[in-house]
Amino acid sequence: MGAVFKFTEEQEMIRKAAREFAEAEIAPYAAEWDSKDICPVELWPMLGEVGATGTFVPEAYGGVGLGHVERAIFIEEISRYSAGLGIALMTHHLAIEAILRFGSEEQKNKYLPILCSGEKIGGLSVTEPGGGSDFAGQAASAEKIDSGWVLNGRKCFITNAGIADINVIICKTGEDEKGRGILSAFIVETGTEGLKPGRHENKLGLRGSITGDVILDNCKIGDDAIIGKDGDGAKIGMGAIGEVGRAGMTAICVGILRACCEDAVKFAKERIVAGKPISKYQAIQFEIADIRTDYEAAKALLYTAASIKDEGKPATTAFAVAKYFATEAAVRGAKRCMDAMGGYGIVNEYAVGRYLRDALASIPSGGTSHIQKLIIAGDTLKNF
Ligand SMILES: Cc1cc2nc3c(=O)[nH]c(=O)nc-3n(C[C@H](O)[C@H](O)[C@H](O)COP(=O)(O)OP(=O)(O)OC[C@H]3O[C@@H](n4cnc5c(N)ncnc54)[C@H](O)[C@@H]3O)c2cc1C
């Protein structure tokens, strides 16, 4: 397919392996995970074996030692068939990113190998009922006591809620002189007293990933559970979401756009109307051309942003642009694919309805399009 971004030979081999894995282990089951809203946790060790869980983690901590371009390839290939599994995997990476970038040597040695192997599942809890867009307004608290910390509060819309073993949770530890919350990040293992699962959302899309509440009810953890130091929570949480989270959501939507391209082409070649395949009609060709154009543009934005991150340069704006474009483009792409299929587009036997639902559900996750536009506008007003 298109050659907008030049991949290395090794990256092409990773894509081939990831695609074979997705075709064998994901494609046959994706519709069932969606309809029953089941997250296939039993796949985690296999995801570990193929290198999808620890792609960007150095080998010293049990990872594959590659980068964010390769991570995006895995998520794109998996999301081509199951965007729900795509977001569950991408959120697992958020816990990894927080510990890898800011954790102590002890924390890295303790948690990264088991997260990379797929023995354990990770999650990141930031959002609260008070509004996910208001990152600084978090109310869940962490109070210092002699033996460590006591956490209280409720996180909502958390991916992998109830299935994650290793939860990175952002809490407020105080207020600065201007009354703004001081945030810190903690590792809370499932099984810790006071860490409770809450409600699970019955979502429109990205089903097959679990989204729900994480409740902290006098949850006591040791001093060794804090990541970095008191007050580092904003940079840890925003760092993980701003780059790794938005990269993940972009890769999911690139996968959805490829699915729309492939399904639209297949349907258009097979469907005969008035004696010829609808692929011969210019109206259908235009739908396919528009899906393809969005797919290529989203893919170029994704892999360009991921390579900026791999060079160690700030990529927040590049990921905001990529995430905003790709999530909205995936909605357009699924609608166009549906339009090209006529009445069949709304029949659940076809996957396109799921693509549309998954694309719509991708918009708020990792920050809404409005929030991406605020980031993009802020950067543009400063630098242009
Ligand atoms: C499928 C899914 C998975 C998720 N997984 C996780 C997870 O694993 N961990 C986690 O912590 N969170 C997760 N989230 C939460 C997600 O980050 C939030 O939904 C998102 O940040 C938006 O927050 P909100 O839903 O509270 O909307 P709100 O913040 O209440 O926003 C409501 C509306 O107001 C707009 N708005 C709000 N503030 C502004 C502003 N300043 N300027 C302009 N417009 C504004 C928004 O764009 C939106 O249209 C997930 C969400 C979804 C849908």
Side-chain angles (χ1 to χ4, degrees):
M1 276 218 238
V4 177
F5 184 89
K6 184 92 187 83
F7 294 97
T8 65
E9 222 169 279
E10 191 191 16
Q11 287 164 347
E12 293 291 6
M13 277 164 58
I14 288 165
R15 185 178 291 284
K16 187 168 174 288
R19 188 166 297 184
E20 283 168 7
F21 172 78
E23 284 169 357
E25 305 297 339
I26 297 169
Y29 314 106
E32 189 189 349
W33 298 336
D34 171 72
S35 68
K36 295 186 179 161
D37 204 12
I38 299 169
C39 185
V41 289
E42 67 283 358
L43 268 192
W44 249 253
M46 258 196 255
L47 290 167
E49 259 172 54
V50 293
T53 39
T55 321
F56 59 95
V57 177
E59 289 176 61
Y61 300 116
V64 187
L66 295 170
H68 287 267
V69 168
E70 292 82 3
R71 171 199 181 231
I73 291 173
F74 270 114
I75 297 178
E76 181 197 331
E77 291 299 326
I78 286 167
S79 303
R80 155 62 185 96
Y81 293 104
S82 172
L85 182 58
I87 191 176
L89 173 65
M90 93 90 187
T91 308
H92 176 87
H93 292 149
L94 299 184
I96 289 182
E97 170 77 357
I99 297 170
L100 177 64
R101 279 191 62 200
F102 299 98
S104 65
E105 228 17 68
E106 287 78 9
Q107 289 168 337
K108 290 185 205 180
N109 286 316
K110 181 173 177 189
Y111 295 112
L112 293 177
I114 49 179
L115 287 166
C116 291
S117 67
E119 188 186 330
K120 300 286 181 193
I121 298 178
L124 174 72
S125 299
V126 173
T127 304
E128 295 189 5
S133 307
D134 182 17
F135 185 90
Q138 295 177 51
S141 64
E143 189 197 333
K144 186 78 190 83
I145 54 169
D146 283 348
S147 58
W149 299 87
V150 185
L151 313 186
N152 277 294
R154 175 156 86 92
K155 298 289 180 179
C156 64
F157 284 125
I158 306 306
T159 304
N160 297 341
I163 61 165
D165 307 284
I166 296 159
N167 307 275
V168 173
I169 304 181
I170 311 289
C171 288
K172 182 177 169 182
T173 48
E175 280 183 3
D176 66 14
E177 60 287 351
K178 289 184 179 150
R180 287 177 305 218
I182 297 172
L183 303 175
S184 299
F186 301 91
I187 303 172
V188 187
E189 292 183 41
T190 293
T192 306
E193 208 183 318
L195 176 71
K196 300 177 181 170
R199 54 175 280 154
H200 277 178
E201 306 303 341
N202 180 8
K203 303 192 300 296
L204 171 82
L206 295 173
R207 293 165 66 82
S209 70
I210 308 297
T211 311
D213 284 3
V214 168
I215 313 278
L216 300 160
D217 179 11
N218 281 322
C219 178
K220 289 198 182 70
I221 48 173
D223 279 321
D224 57 353
I226 192 164
I227 306 179
K229 43 182 207 318
D230 187 11
D232 283 349
K235 75 175 176 202
I236 295 171
M238 278 318 294
I241 294 168
E243 300 199 344
V244 181
R246 288 176 193 149
M249 294 319 299
T250 309
I252 287 167
C253 288
V254 171
I256 295 172
L257 280 162
R258 203 181 87 224
C260 294
C261 262
E262 290 177 0
D263 287 16
V265 166
K266 183 172 185 296
F267 187 89
K269 285 182 177 170
E270 287 171 359
R271 173 74 171 148
I272 311 289
V273 176
K276 55 181 180 181
I278 58 167
S279 59
K280 301 276 184 206
Y281 293 112
Q282 199 180 49
I284 302 302
Q285 291 174 3
F286 282 3
E287 300 291 359
I288 289 171
D290 281 339
I291 303 170
R292 172 74 188 270
T293 303
D294 272 344
Y295 164 67
E296 295 293 353
K299 192 171 168 183
L301 288 172
L302 167 65
Y303 289 104
T304 303
S307 52
I308 294 172
K309 180 159 176 66
D310 280 339
E311 283 168 20
K313 295 183 186 149
T316 305
T317 306
F319 280 122
V321 169
K323 199 247 171 200
Y324 169 48
F325 182 84
T327 51
E328 299 283 352
V331 174
R332 292 195 292 272
K335 162 80 165 45
R336 284 179 175 132
C337 180
M338 205 171 247
D339 288 344
M341 292 173 71
Y344 294 96
I346 58 100
V347 173
N348 277 334
E349 208 178 304
Y350 292 93
V352 63
R354 169 158 57 91
Y355 303 155
L356 182 60
R357 291 187 286 103
D358 289 344
L360 285 165
S362 296
I363 291 177
S365 178
T368 63
S369 288
H370 303 139
I371 297 301
Q372 305 318 310
K373 284 200 261 191
L374 288 180
I375 296 167
I376 298 162
D379 183 85
T380 310
L381 288 165
K382 196 165 137 209
N383 294 314
F384 279 65

